[in-house]
Every structure is written in structure tokens, then in C-alpha cells.
Amino acid sequence: MIETPGPEADEVARRQGAATRAGLVARLGGLASRLFSARLDKSAGRIRFIALAMAVAYLGIGVKLVSLGASHDPPQTLKVAADQAVSGARPDLLDRNGEILATDVKTMSVFAEPRRIIDKDEAVELITAVLPDVDAKELRERLSSKKGFVWVKRQVTAKEQQEIFHLGLPGVGFLPENKRVYPNGPIGAHVIGFVDTDNIGIAGMEKYLDQQSLTDPHVPGFVLDPTALKPVRLSLDLKATHALRDELVAGLARFKAKAAAGAILDVTTGEVIALESLPDFDPNDPGDFIKDPTRINRLNVGVYEMGSTFKALSLAMALDSGKATLNSRIDARDSLRYGHFTIHDFHATHRVLTVPEVFTHSSNIGAARLALMVGVEGHQAFLRKMGQLDRLRTELPESAEPLVPKHWGELNTMTIAFGQGLNVAPLQAMMAVAALINGGNMMTPTFLPRAEADALAVSHAVISPQTSESMRYLMRSNATHGSAGFANIPGYYVGGKTGTADKIVNGHYSQDRVFTTFMAIAPADKPKYLYLVMYDEPQGLPEDGGYHTAAHNAGRTTGSLITRVEPLEGVPPADHFPDQPFPILARLGLGGDADRVGKE
Amino acid sequence: MWRLLHVIAIAALIGSAAYVYSVKYQTIYASEQIVKTRHQIAKERDAINLLRAEFAHLTRPDRLQALADAQLDMQPLALGQIVKADDLPDHAPKVDSIGRKLESLSLLGDSATPSAGLTGATPAVR
């Protein structure tokens, strides 16, 4: 149904025609009156005009949007720029006893607003006169930029601030910033890590905290107030860490070694009580630490052939598999031949050894034969269970993959049994030894405080309690009549194992360059702490008969370390041996000879 | 009558205006004080933090050890010096050693107090 246009429509069309015929001048003159006239017949022109105005307005907005989107440096207010630029607050880091390891202090930083600086050359001249370490050319470039906010110098002293203030330069101001300080300098530096000038964690636990989003320093308007942040406690003990570093510094100089490292692990909880790796760095001024490969944390970034300390794993594997007992006899009369290779003993005995003798004489042949009893498959499975074939991940962001042989044959099993041919991070080896002696509970080492119950909840059993007790007995007997005598501190019932690995030089094992390790447990009947000390290329001293084996360097250092650290941790020396140190072994009629003092 | 009421009303108006102004300025003053105190607190907190850091820096173990080695005539702790509280010897019975000495010199009589001039460092007569 279509309606024909009525007389009213005709009327509108006629009048419109009349309007378009009107002269331009008349239209302009009548524009205002027509704009505001409420007459319906004039609305078509008005609608066109409004549509045009709207189109112009939207075009303007669109052009502005495109120009804003295309510009690289969006104009920002000083407040926003400052909030994004200043380094945010970080939580304090405390040791396990509440001593400060890292904290924030307020410092002033000088900034400039280039757009508000009138004479840039004069400003550069005056500022560089007061702050001589600011590069004039670079500063001129920064001040010539179109930015609303640039730093002139971060973290100036109070005196420098005063002098800049007296220059009276417009467009130059001060902002309070947080500066991270490490009051203890290099003590524990590898664990604590450090931050950059923007207070962002670069290494160690500082980086870990950032990864945990405990701190997010660059949210605009982020709290600068450190009181709003709860301090974070680490498992480190500052005093024990200092004792460790002190002993290692002394040992490094005494044995003229290339590097030294050590750690103390609480085997009941997996907490790292102390960790040091020398040469180290001062986190207040890390400099080129990141680029310097000699300053790495050797305990979790370096991988090494652990030498004879690895025999503990081989013996535990043989004992736990049931293929050998402490009474088993191992033939070490002749060197062990395999194809073209011959395995010798460093302290050759040329007789049939018992399992404890394999350990105390550190017999390569014995360890290789014990590993062969279990076989290649079983050996691999055991080492994987002990976490030696996979990368160990702790809270520390830095870690290293172990170097595992690609084709693992019987020869590999034989050499790995006495610590050659498998490179692991020392912390990884400590984790395994801790599980061997703490009753068989495998737990990842941690740098945060952990209660014993929590540690047990996240651990899993890897060997039987009887095997664990056998290992404690073996380590104890090695301290009384084996190579660990230097660490046998009276009163602490110490057990230990030495390891001297020949370093590979030009593809061959070198006799002169060695890598020595020492692991000690105290007390051996109910271990609490596992000590590790290692030296890279220590030199033999004339008073030691020129020996550079682990007992003489790492062993001695561990001995003095135990003497210092055990009282610090509140453990007094016992005045008598424990009555029943190895109850399970005693029931089997074994283990009674561990406390015989003196070598056979 | 009306005039009096007008005067009272105007006086009340002026009075209340003055009161409002005084309250307002007091409020402004108080809020300024709050801001100032907050700044002061923040400053003190920063200062405390700085002092804590400085204290930790000055009491860092390697510095204390170096100072002790240089300044004090002390030996490192030997393990033999650590004993349990139970291992300490019992108290000896309380002995009045001075009284015993006096007794042995038979000075502890009824007139034990010596008269001036007989004993003592200062002679009575010069």
C-alpha cells in the first residue's frame, strides 16, 4: 500500500527549490536565523550543516589519534614519568637469625625536564662542573631529547645534591630513590645476588624474588615505602657463611689454588646454611661479574667430576640393591682391565678387600666391581633416582645441566663408579650424599627456611634406612682410619670422604692438576650438617710432603670449619662417643669398629 | 524590639561566621601539621633504615674479626673451653676466709675490734 504524496509534501519541495535558487550572500546572511529557526521546512539544510560539522570533528579526532599512535614518545606527565623511572622498594633480605643481608636506603637522584631547560649548553656546563663523572656529551644528547623526563645522575651524595640545588637551574630537580645496599659485602654474595640501578634483581635470590612477583617495582605509583614490604628470610646463617668464607680465603692463599668453594647443608631439612664460591664479588659493586667466568657460583653453575666422593653413591647403590653387604669381599689384587683400558688404585693394596675397606682405601677397582654387580641399567636408574642425571633446580635462577656420557656402556659405569666421566654440580652431589646419610630421604636443597616436617613432606625415600646407616658407618670409619682423619674433630663424631679428581688437560687426565673435594657429616650417628669444601688446582705444601690430595687441603679446611661452625650453630662438643651409633648394624653384628682411633 | 532582634541576628551571624572561619583555619592548620608529621615520620623511618644498614655494615663479621685480631689480645675459641652447665664443679662451701685468718691470729675475741693506734696504717700520734 503506497500513499501518494499529499499536498504538504508538494509544498516542502517547492519551498526547497526556492531556497536553493536564493543568492549566496542571502544564504550566508540568513544562516544564523535559519540555524536557530524552529521551522520544519528549513531542517534539511540544518541537518546537512550538522552532519558536515560532525564529519569535520570526527576527522580531527581521527587525525589526532593517528598522530598519537604514530609518535614514539607519547607526552607524559612528570608524575607518571617519575613513577616509572625511580627504582622501587624491595623487601629486606635477612639471614636465618634475622641479621640484615640486604636492605634499601633512600638516596636522591637528579633528573631534568629537557623541555623546561632554557639554555641547554649552560645547564650541561654547570652540571658537569658539579658532577665531574657525568659525561658532558652524553648529557647534552639526553637534554636535547624531546622527552619530558631524563635522569642526570642516579644516587648522588648529600653534598652533590646541595651543590646542584644551588645552581638554581630551572627544569632540574631531585627525586628520592631506593638504593639496595648489602652491608656484609661479599659474604654470601652468590646466594644473595644483586640488583641493577633500577632495583631489579639480576642474580641470586634477588632475581628469584622478582620472579615470584613478591616485588614489582615498576607498577606506576608503586610504594616507595619499604615498611610496606615484609622482609624475606633466607636459610643462610651469616656467621657460618662468614666462617666458611674466612676459611676458604685462608685456604685459597695457603694452597695457591685457582678457586675454592664450600657449602654447609642441613641434611634434616635440606636448608643451605652457608654457601661460598671464591673468587667472588661485592654485590654493592658487581661490575663485570656477570661476564667473568671465573667468578661463577661453582656449586650450582659449575659441573665437575666429583672423584672419589662419588664412591659413596656407588657403594650405597651396591648395598641397597642387595647384591653386596658390608661383609662382601671384592677382589682388588690386580688392576681391572676392560678392553684397552686399565683401572688402577691410587693407594694400591693388592689384596681382597671388604666393602668398608673399599671405601677407606678409596679403591677404584672395588668401586668399579661393585657398580658392575648392579649393571649399567641399574646404575643409570640409581643415579637418576639420586638426581645426578638431571639439572638441579633450586630457588637460585642459575643452574647447570650435568654432563652425562651419550653412549653409556660398561666402561662408563666402571669409571663413573669412582667419579670419572660424569660431571655434576657439587650442590647436586651434596643433595645425593645428604639423602644417603639422613635415612634415605631425598630432598631438594633450599635457600629458604624450611621446617623438618615440611622437608619430609616434600621428600621421597630413595634408599633403605639400613643402607643409610651403613653409609654413615662407612663415613665414620673413614674418619677414624681412612683418609678423612684431618676432619675428625674430637667431640663431633665426624664422618667424611675425600675426593681427588685428576683434571683433564688436553684430553688426558693430568696428575699435577687436581680438583679436590671433601664431604664431612657431623655427627655421624645422627647427622645434622653436611660440609663440602673443594679446591681447584691446589698445590702441595712442603710440610704435607708435597701431597695435593683432598685430605691435605679440603680435609684440613673442613676440620677447622667444623671446629668453628658447630659451636656457632649451638652444638657443643660431646665428651664421649655415642653409646649405640649404628643400632641396625649392631643387630647384624657389624659396625663396632667405627670408633677405633688411629689408622691400621 | 525589632531593632534589638536585628542587632542580635546580625551579631549571631558575624559570630557564627567568625567561628566557622576559625574552625576552618584550625582544620587547615591541623591537616598541614598531619602532612608535616607524616613527612617527619617518613624521614625518621628512612633515617632508622639508614642507621640499621650502617649498623649491619659496621658489625659485619669480617670487620669485627679484623678489629678483634688487631686490637684484642684474645685467642680463638678452643673446643675444650666449651662445657655443659652440669659439668661445672659444685660451689665450694662458703668460707669466711677473713674470719678464719683472724681466728688463727687469735684476734677474734670479745674485744676483737682493735683500738685506734694499736693497728692500722695511720699512727695515732705523730
Side-chain angles (χ1 to χ4, degrees), chain A residues 381-399:
Chain A
F382 183 77
L383 289 184
R384 192 168 297 282
K385 189 167 68 171
M386 300 307 288
Q388 301 303 295
L389 303 185
D390 301 301
R391 185 188 284 256
L392 168 67
R393 290 186 195 280
T394 59
E395 288 88 0
L396 292 185
E398 306 88 8
S399 66

Side-chain angles (χ1 to χ4, degrees), chain A residues 100 104 106 183 227 242 246, chain B residues 45-46 49 52 57 65 79:
Chain A
I100 298 174
D104 278 343
K106 281 277 164 64
T227 50
H242 162 68
D246 197 46
Chain B
R45 226 173 238 161
D46 289 347
N49 221 39
R52 273 177 67 229
H57 183 64
Q65 185 177 324
L79 290 180

Side-chain angles (χ1 to χ4, degrees), chain A residues 92 100 103-106 183-184 227 242 246 489 492 563-564 567 573, chain B residues 45-46 49-50 52-53 56-57 60-62 65 77 79 82 84 87:
Chain A
D92 284 0
I100 298 174
T103 186
D104 278 343
V105 293
K106 281 277 164 64
N184 303 302
T227 50
H242 162 68
D246 197 46
I489 304 303
Y492 286 115
T563 316
R564 272 178 84 162
Chain B
R45 226 173 238 161
D46 289 347
N49 221 39
L50 191 66
R52 273 177 67 229
H57 183 64
R60 66 189 190 275
D62 51 342
Q65 185 177 324
L77 174 76
L79 290 180
I82 305 173
K84 290 198 199 92
D87 296 342

Side-chain angles (χ1 to χ4, degrees), chain B residues 24-42:
Chain B
K24 190 188 170 193
Y25 281 113
Q26 271 171 22
T27 314
I28 291 172
Y29 178 75
S31 56
E32 271 173 6
Q33 288 301 310
I34 288 171
V35 170
K36 267 188 194 164
T37 315
R38 278 210 182 118
H39 279 190
Q40 191 69 31
I41 289 169

Side-chain angles (χ1 to χ4, degrees), chain A residues 156-332:
Chain A
V156 294
T157 63
K159 188 165 163 275
E160 287 173 332
Q161 188 201 349
Q162 204 64 32
E163 284 175 0
I164 293 273
F165 183 74
H166 283 305
L167 294 178
L169 289 168
V172 175
F174 305 96
L175 270 176
E177 275 204 286
N178 289 300
K179 180 178 161 48
R180 198 68 161 162
V181 293
Y182 303 92
N184 303 302
I187 299 171
H190 277 111
V191 176
I192 300 166
F194 59 95
V195 298
D196 64 3
T197 37
D198 291 323
N199 252 11
I200 295 175
I202 297 293
M205 292 304 281
E206 294 277 29
K207 190 172 180 188
Y208 167 77
L209 289 186
D210 285 0
Q211 287 168 346
Q212 297 303 299
S213 337
L214 286 178
T215 57
D216 191 357
H218 276 241
V219 175
F222 186 78
V223 274
L224 271 170
D225 184 8
T227 50
L229 292 164
K230 284 222 170 66
V232 175
R233 222 171 251 258
L234 302 187
S235 67
L236 285 190
D237 183 316
L238 176 65
K239 292 193 181 84
T241 310
H242 162 68
L244 174 61
R245 185 171 188 278
D246 197 46
E247 293 295 336
L248 288 178
V249 167
L252 194 70
R254 185 159 176 227
F255 303 112
K256 299 184 185 64
K258 266 172 66 183
I264 305 171
L265 187 72
D266 185 331
V267 299
T268 59
T269 61
E271 295 167 290
V272 178
I273 304 294
L275 190 154
E276 278 294 339
S277 173
L278 298 177
D280 55 1
F281 62 97
D282 186 346
N284 292 304
D285 182 21
D288 290 337
F289 157 73
I290 289 283
K291 292 181 199 135
D292 188 353
T294 64
R295 288 170 197 276
I296 56 163
N297 183 352
R298 277 152 212 279
L299 285 152
N300 64 339
V301 183
V303 288
Y304 304 94
E305 293 186 331
M306 293 302 287
S308 305
T309 37
F310 233 65
K311 284 178 189 144
L313 284 168
S314 311
L315 263 68
M317 171 179 71
L319 293 175
D320 203 52
S321 70
K323 300 227 163 68
T325 67
L326 286 180
N327 286 328
S328 299
R329 300 200 160 258
I330 313 295
D331 184 1

Side-chain angles (χ1 to χ4, degrees), chain A residues 66-76 146-147:
Chain A
V66 168
S67 76
L68 279 177
S71 74
H72 294 291
D73 184 26
Q76 49 188 355
K146 294 267 186 295
K147 285 184 182 165

